[in-house]
């Protein structure tokens, strides 16, 4: 871990804090309420802070977007999944807004704001959810937050630790950013492979013809250009009764949520249990080999997403937000699901999405069946599926390696920060 590369302090003492353990002999232990002031905004007003050199501690899972209130103000927090209790922000310049779901730390005494930021960001998670959060609203109670213990060196030593961490974490962040860029490139390449294979085929020497479709361009000469209605026997959607707010157990009836088809993958765990007093419609039970399409969603990226069902437990039902497409024998269901992932089809889908913002966004049957595409012979479809699946496995493996590398670097980053701000490593000679 982070400590192995660095020297320890010559002498330690018991901090008296179970999770903290021993700290350097000359360091003091102070509770948060004795080293800074803690404030929140109000429900109806947004407060602007002139100096942004403070950590902003999120005390609720439901963090809302705070819009700028003036040209010299910026958003302190943005909405997003994964933002919750214990998330810490620190800003150096500009005016910032905060509201009732945010603790703002200021007026530091014997400690710098940057040191507090590092200390909270790497250590508070150890106790933040250990009885300190209200289960009803998922927010951190102020008394527990104020009593959180800090191990503090002198200010001059804090500055050295902060400078060390700024430098070292910047290097780690650069490496993480490179891996994230790699993942982005791999996903773009993966998309390009899918799109090319299902619209141009695998033979670069094949004679081509004009498809007559602007976005599709030239296609292999022996491929048929037709509308989806020509390869579709039936397009059905299920029902969405009022369900229980839990995932169905095995062999219990459940109704799929919109999120069951995401990024062209079918996830049967995205369902809600059907209450016992509601009679199920067995005709809407999902089967292996089905082709499902997301009909409506709050996210435009999910609308029109298609997945081939490779596996599913019994008693999982279609909802009215999901289409099931019954295809004719002339098309391979896996080929069709790959076709609908192509950039060409995604453009078709995005152009035809109707409705207003939010959950009203949807795609209609009439729009889907009118999409034009080029269809290769069945044997060629099978070859394309086999080739693309092999390529996807390779790309997914590379993406997984990059994601694992990021996770390891993030763990090292957190461990390094925690070790430095709690005195487990001695960086006083660092320059």
């Amino acid at each position: 871990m982070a400590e192995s590369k660095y020297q320890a302090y010559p002498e330690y003492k018991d901090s008296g804090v179970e999770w903290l353990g021993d700290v350097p002999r000359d360091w003091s232990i102070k509770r948060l309420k004795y080293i800074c002031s803690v404030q929140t905004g109000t429900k109806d007003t947004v407060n602007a802070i002139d100096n942004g050199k403070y950590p902003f501690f999120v005390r609720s899972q439901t963090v809302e977007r705070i819009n700028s209130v003036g040209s010299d103000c910026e958003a302190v927090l943005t909405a997003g999944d994964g933002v919750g209790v214990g998330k810490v922000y620190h800003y150096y310049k500009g005016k910032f807004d905060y509201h009732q779901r945010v603790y703002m730390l200021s007026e530091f005494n014997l400690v710098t704001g940057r040191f507090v930021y590092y200390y909270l960001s790497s250590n508070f998670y150890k106790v933040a959810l250990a009885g300190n959060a209200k289960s009803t609203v998922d927010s951190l109670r102020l008394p527990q937050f104020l009593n959180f213990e800090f191990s503090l060196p002198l200010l001059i030593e804090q500055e050295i630790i902060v400078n060390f961490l700024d430098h070292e974490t910047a290097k780690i962040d650069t490496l993480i950013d490179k891996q994230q860029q790699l993942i982005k490139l791999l996903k773009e390449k993966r998309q390009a492979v899918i799109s090319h294979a299902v619209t141009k085929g695998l033979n670069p020497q094949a004679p081509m013809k004009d498809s007559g479709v602007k976005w599709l361009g030239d296609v292999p000469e022996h491929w048929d250009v037709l509308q989806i209605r020509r390869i579709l026997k039936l397009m059905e959607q299920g029902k969405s009764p009022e369900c229980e707010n839990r995932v169905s157990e095995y062999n219990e009836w459940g109704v799929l949520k919109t999120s069951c088809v995401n990024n062209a993958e079918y996830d049967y765990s995205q369902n809600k249990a059907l209450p016992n007093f509601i009679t199920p419609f067995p005709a809407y039970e999902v089967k292996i080999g089905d082709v499902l399409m997301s009909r409506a969603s709050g996210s435009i990226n999910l609308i029109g997403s298609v997945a081939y069902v490779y596996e599913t437990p019994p008693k999982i039902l279609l909802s009215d937000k999901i289409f099931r497409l019954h295809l004719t024998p002339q098309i391979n269901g896996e080929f069709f699901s790959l076709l609908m992932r192509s950039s060409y089809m995604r453009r078709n889908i995005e152009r035809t999405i109707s409705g207003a913002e939010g959950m009203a966004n949807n795609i209609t049957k009439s729009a889907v069946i009118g999409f034009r595409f080029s269809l290769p012979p069945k044997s060629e479809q099978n070859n394309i599926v086999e080739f693309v699946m092999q390529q996807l496995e390779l790309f997914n493996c590379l993406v997984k390696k990059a994601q694992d590398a990021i996770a390891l670097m993030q763990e090292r980053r957190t461990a390094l920060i925690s070790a430095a701000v709690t005195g487990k490593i001695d960086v006083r000679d660092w320059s």
Side-chain angles (χ1 to χ4, degrees):
M1 293 301 291
E3 296 92 329
S4 60
K5 185 179 176 181
Y6 303 95
Q7 297 293 322
Y9 278 79
E11 294 183 67
Y12 287 85
K13 65 181 180 184
D14 183 4
S15 67
V17 181
E18 183 178 356
W19 69 265
L20 185 56
D22 292 341
V23 297
R25 187 189 64 179
D26 296 331
W27 288 28
S28 60
I29 304 297
K30 299 285 186 182
R31 296 184 185 274
L32 178 66
K33 61 186 175 184
Y34 297 122
I35 62 174
C36 68
S37 171
V38 179
Q39 300 171 265
T40 65
T42 61
K43 181 177 181 181
D44 300 317
T45 62
V46 174
N47 299 286
I49 304 302
D50 290 332
N51 188 341
K53 285 192 175 183
Y54 304 130
F56 288 80
F57 187 88
V58 182
R59 70 179 179 94
S60 172
Q61 294 282 22
T62 53
V63 179
E64 299 168 351
R65 181 179 299 279
I66 305 175
N67 295 319
S68 299
V69 297
S71 60
D72 56 352
C73 294
E74 299 179 34
V76 172
L77 304 172
T78 57
D81 294 339
V83 178
V85 175
K87 185 71 175 177
V88 186
Y89 295 82
H90 189 256
Y91 295 88
Y92 281 104
K93 59 184 178 180
K95 287 185 178 182
F96 302 96
D97 307 331
Y98 69 104
H99 62 14
Q100 79 276 11
R101 291 196 179 97
V102 178
Y103 289 133
M104 196 280 290
L105 282 61
S106 61
E107 300 176 11
F108 296 102
N109 176 37
L110 301 177
V111 68
T112 67
R114 191 70 174 163
F115 186 87
V116 171
Y117 160 74
Y118 274 128
Y119 198 95
L120 287 173
S121 65
S122 63
N123 289 297
F124 193 78
Y125 71 92
K126 298 173 182 176
V127 295
L129 300 178
N132 289 336
K134 298 178 184 177
S135 59
T136 54
V137 294
D138 266 337
S139 64
L140 177 68
R141 291 176 289 187
L142 182 59
Q144 280 77 11
F145 185 44
L146 291 176
N147 284 313
F148 183 62
E149 291 99 345
F150 279 73
S151 55
L152 298 179
L154 296 176
L155 280 170
I156 189 171
E157 193 171 341
Q158 291 177 36
E159 291 290 350
I160 295 173
I161 292 171
V162 165
N163 290 337
F164 163 79
L165 290 175
D166 284 346
H167 183 270
E168 294 300 313
T169 57
K171 292 196 298 184
I172 296 173
D173 290 342
T174 297
L175 295 174
I176 290 175
D177 183 64
K178 289 181 178 179
Q179 290 296 313
Q180 289 172 335
Q181 290 299 316
L182 173 61
I183 290 173
K184 181 181 178 182
L185 290 172
L186 287 170
K187 289 182 176 180
E188 290 175 353
K189 179 64 175 175
R190 180 177 64 189
Q191 180 63 35
V193 167
I194 295 171
S195 297
H196 188 275
V198 298
T199 59
K200 307 298 181 184
L202 304 180
N203 180 10
Q205 307 302 322
M208 307 294 281
K209 67 180 179 183
D210 183 4
S211 67
V213 182
K214 178 181 177 181
W215 290 103
L216 187 55
D218 291 343
V219 299
E221 196 173 60
H222 62 291
W223 290 22
D224 294 327
V225 179
L226 63 165
Q227 291 182 316
I228 285 181
R229 70 175 79 243
R230 293 273 304 278
I231 50 88
L232 189 64
K233 293 190 293 185
L234 175 67
M235 191 171 180
E236 62 179 336
Q237 62 195 76
K239 296 181 180 292
S240 292
E242 190 69 28
C243 292
E244 299 179 20
N245 192 25
R246 63 179 179 85
V247 178
S248 64
E249 298 180 5
Y250 184 79
N251 213 32
E252 179 184 25
W253 290 105
V255 179
L256 290 172
K257 300 191 294 185
T258 304
S259 52
C260 73
V261 181
N262 191 355
N263 293 323
E265 293 185 1
Y266 168 65
D267 182 359
Y268 54 77
S269 69
Q270 294 297 310
N271 73 75
K272 288 188 175 182
L274 187 72
N276 291 330
F277 60 84
I278 296 180
T279 303
F281 291 85
Y284 293 142
E285 184 178 7
V286 177
K287 304 289 187 181
I288 293 174
D290 281 349
V291 177
L292 305 182
M293 172 185 280
S294 175
R295 180 184 70 82
S297 172
S299 171
I300 290 179
N301 292 331
L302 289 182
I303 298 174
S305 183
V306 174
Y308 183 87
V309 178
Y310 289 97
E311 61 174 332
T312 190
K315 297 187 176 181
I316 300 298
L317 299 168
L318 293 175
S319 71
D320 69 346
K321 298 294 193 296
I322 303 296
F323 286 135
R324 174 161 55 188
L325 287 74
H326 297 264
L327 305 171
T328 64
Q330 71 188 110
I331 188 167
N332 181 319
E334 292 176 277
F335 177 84
F336 181 81
S337 68
L338 291 173
L339 171 71
M340 297 304 291
R341 291 178 66 176
S342 68
S343 301
Y344 162 70
M345 278 300 185
R346 285 309 306 173
R347 283 195 295 266
N348 271 329
I349 290 166
E350 289 166 9
R351 285 201 309 269
T352 56
I353 289 173
S354 62
E357 292 292 329
M359 287 302 294
N361 286 332
N362 67 89
I363 190 167
T364 63
K365 293 181 182 179
S366 59
V368 173
I369 65 176
F371 292 158
R372 297 180 66 83
F373 72 104
S374 55
L375 180 68
K378 191 70 171 287
S379 60
E380 196 169 346
Q381 295 175 39
N382 297 339
N383 291 337
I384 290 172
V385 168
E386 183 179 2
F387 169 79
V388 172
M389 289 303 181
Q390 290 174 349
Q391 294 298 303
L392 292 185
E393 185 175 353
L394 173 61
F395 281 117
N396 292 340
C397 181
L398 294 174
V399 168
K400 179 65 165 55
K401 286 182 178 179
Q403 290 171 336
D404 290 345
I406 289 174
L408 286 173
M409 286 185 281
Q410 289 172 334
E411 289 177 9
R412 182 182 183 279
R413 189 184 192 278
T414 299
L416 183 67
I417 294 171
S418 181
V421 297
T422 59
K424 301 300 186 289
I425 58 176
D426 186 352
V427 298
R428 287 175 296 180
D429 293 333
W430 178 87
S431 62

